[in-house]
């Protein structure tokens, strides 16, 4: 079967691979759709970030070269003999996070984590082995295409939960990439009354409006902090830093009200300078998030499949696996109109 295999920076090859024998606690998933994540793009442009090179990942046992893809949906093709909660034919979403599983769900991921598709073979292929504990059941009639967006949406839902956002509050989101606009959608679902999104790209700001933003600001046209405080005097209740650069980090602090919450959601490609006094003088509470808890993933499945969390507009293109580099990774690198690009892996699903 064909797979998109990471070999190194800007070296992803679509090549023939053999599916390994599944373990007793695993199922074989026939992949329907898979999405390209910002983390995948980091690996393509700057990796290895998460991918284990010249070593074996301690949690998954995987190592490069490996098949990428951790945002995917599909149908169960085979089940291991120890699998009890799923059967052949079930439609599933995959939580790709692999942890030690020895702590409470809310902190488990912070004791070390890996990902299916980044530290072991993932979903940019026709079939993939997935442990039963990483499977989440979908309604049989639910669109598997939209289900491929559940994983990044769970990141956004977790971010909103970390910000302790309450019904009727206000938010500012710095960065209108795929995760930024999904945070806007999650904030809307959580009952935010003002959802202000800041980005330098006009086309991305338009996407943010489609996803639930009430107001958008282009910092090339006006001072973002001043514009936010004109809309929400005193600052927003919660800000989200989803751009991963120093200016937006500082602006997120400055646009949040005293004792409000700021959540870092982005993956920073390089270190930034940080003056703690800016945070202290502003009275802003800073927190971070990485991935999501198992509870949050299930909540995201329920929110999306019930229609309460609208994520369909984030999908901007559908491509074939053979074109994943040119129409996928390179397109995301150069075309700001792209948000979530999906790869169709099975024409029958």
């Amino acid at each position: 079967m064909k797979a998109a295999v990471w070999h190194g920076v800007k070296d992803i090859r679509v090549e023939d691979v053999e599916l390994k024998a599944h373990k007793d606690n695993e199922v074989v998933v026939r992949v329907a759709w898979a999405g390209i994540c910002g983390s995948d793009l980091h690996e393509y442009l700057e990796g290895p970030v998460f991918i284990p090179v010249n070593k074996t990942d301690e949690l998954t046992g995987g190592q490069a070269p490996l098949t990428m893809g951790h945002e995917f949906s599909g149908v169960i093709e085979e089940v291991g003999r120890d699998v009890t909660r799923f059967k052949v034919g079930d439609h599933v979403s995959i939580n790709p996070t692999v942890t030690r599983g020895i702590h409470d769900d809310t902190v488990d991921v912070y004791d070390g984590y890996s990902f299916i598709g980044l530290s072991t073979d993932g979903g940019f292929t026709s079939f993939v082995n997935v442990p039963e504990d990483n499977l989440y059941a979908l309604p049989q009639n639910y669109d598997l295409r939209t289900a491929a967006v559940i994983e990044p949406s769970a990141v956004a839902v977790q971010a909103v939960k970390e910000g302790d956002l309450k019904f009727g509050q206000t938010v500012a989101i710095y960065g209108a990439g795929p995760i930024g606009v999904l945070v806007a959608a999650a904030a809307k679902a959580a009952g935010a009354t003002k959802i202000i999104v800041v980005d330098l790209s006009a086309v991305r700001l338009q996407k943010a409006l489609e996803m639930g933003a009430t107001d958008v600001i282009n910092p090339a046209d006006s001072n973002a902090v001043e514009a936010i405080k004109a809309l929400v005097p005193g600052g927003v209740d919660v800000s989200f830093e989803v751009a991963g650069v120093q200016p937006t980090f500082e602006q997120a602090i400055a646009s949040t009200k005293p004792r409000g919450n700021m959540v870092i959601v982005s993956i920073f490609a390089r270190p930034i300078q940080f003056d703690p006094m800016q945070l202290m003088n502003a009275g802003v509470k800073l927190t971070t998030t990485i991935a999501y808890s198992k509870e949050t993933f299930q909540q995201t499945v329920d929110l999306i499949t019930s229609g309460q969390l609208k994520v369909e507009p984030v999908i901007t293109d559908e491509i074939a696996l053979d074109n994943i580099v040119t129409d996928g990774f390179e397109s995301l690198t150069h075309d700001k109109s792209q948000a979530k690009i999906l790869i169709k892996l099975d024409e029958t699903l």
Side-chain angles (χ1 to χ4, degrees):
M1 62 185 183
K2 289 184 178 180
V5 179
W6 187 93
H7 287 266
V9 173
K10 288 210 166 184
D11 186 9
I12 294 175
R13 309 173 198 171
V14 177
E15 54 193 25
D16 289 326
V17 302
E18 292 289 333
L19 179 66
K20 298 171 184 174
H22 62 272
K23 299 176 183 176
D24 291 343
N25 69 327
E26 293 179 333
V27 308
V28 177
V29 173
R30 177 189 290 270
V31 182
W33 293 88
I36 301 176
C37 177
S39 300
D40 297 327
L41 191 59
H42 277 294
E43 296 290 355
Y44 175 69
L45 295 172
E46 306 152 355
V49 180
F50 295 106
I51 291 177
V53 176
N54 299 323
K55 62 179 180 179
T56 299
D57 184 83
E58 63 176 302
L59 292 178
T60 67
Q63 58 181 279
L66 56 80
T67 300
M68 296 184 75
H70 62 275
E71 302 176 359
F72 60 102
S73 62
V75 177
I76 295 178
E77 185 82 2
E78 298 179 41
V79 297
R81 64 183 181 184
D82 292 341
V83 173
T84 59
R85 293 181 289 110
F86 294 90
K87 65 184 184 302
V88 171
D90 284 350
H91 290 206
V92 290
S93 173
I94 289 80
N95 174 347
T97 313
V98 179
T99 66
R100 293 185 172 87
I102 58 177
H103 293 288
D104 180 84
D105 185 37
T106 58
V107 298
D108 183 46
V109 71
Y110 298 102
D111 186 42
Y113 61 89
S114 294
F115 288 100
I116 297 169
L118 284 172
S119 55
T120 190
D121 290 333
F124 288 162
T125 188
S126 300
F127 298 95
V128 59
N129 298 325
V130 179
E132 181 179 24
D133 286 346
N134 293 82
L135 300 171
Y136 288 71
L138 297 171
Q140 290 293 104
N141 61 349
Y142 190 74
D143 178 24
L144 287 169
R145 173 178 173 272
T146 307
V149 187
I150 288 173
E151 194 277 342
S153 300
V155 175
V157 172
Q158 187 71 53
V160 167
K161 291 172 67 175
E162 296 294 344
D164 196 25
L165 179 65
K166 294 179 173 59
F167 191 86
Q169 288 190 326
T170 58
V171 306
I173 301 166
Y174 285 86
I179 296 298
V181 298
L182 285 169
V183 170
K188 180 179 180 180
T193 54
K194 275 284 184 185
I195 303 170
I196 308 164
V197 178
V198 181
D199 200 281
L200 285 165
S201 168
V203 68
R204 285 190 164 185
L205 291 175
Q206 180 58 43
K207 180 60 65 178
L209 290 169
E210 294 176 33
M211 294 291 290
T214 59
D215 302 88
V216 294
I217 296 168
N218 191 324
D221 300 329
S222 60
N223 181 289
V225 175
E226 292 177 359
I228 288 171
K229 289 191 173 180
L231 292 166
V232 184
V236 297
D237 295 293
V238 187
S239 65
F240 298 91
E241 203 297 310
V242 204
V245 293
Q246 184 157 342
T248 54
F249 179 89
E250 295 172 348
Q251 291 161 13
I253 296 172
S255 57
T256 307
K257 73 177 187 181
R259 311 315 293 158
N261 295 323
M262 172 184 164
V263 185
I264 298 176
V265 190
S266 52
I267 295 174
F268 282 75
R270 57 189 59 85
I272 64 171
Q273 296 293 319
F274 171 44
D275 179 4
M277 289 309 299
Q278 182 198 4
L279 193 68
M280 293 172 69
N281 289 334
V284 172
K285 293 176 281 185
L286 174 65
T287 190
T288 63
T289 181
I290 187 74
Y292 31 72
S293 66
K294 292 181 179 179
E295 176 189 62
T296 293
F297 201 96
Q298 182 62 65
Q299 291 169 341
T300 306
V301 170
D302 296 339
L303 285 165
I304 289 179
T305 58
S306 66
Q308 296 174 77
L309 178 55
K310 308 290 187 182
V311 298
E312 172 70 23
V314 78
I315 302 170
T316 51
D317 204 359
E318 302 168 8
I319 65 173
L321 180 64
D322 283 338
N323 304 324
I324 192 171
V325 173
T326 55
D327 295 351
F329 287 98
E330 286 296 324
S331 181
L332 287 169
T333 302
H334 301 293
D335 184 357
K336 293 298 183 182
S337 70
Q338 296 293 350
K340 183 58 61 181
I341 296 177
L342 297 184
I343 301 99
K344 188 170 182 60
L345 277 307
D346 194 312
E347 295 291 337
T348 68
L349 298 177

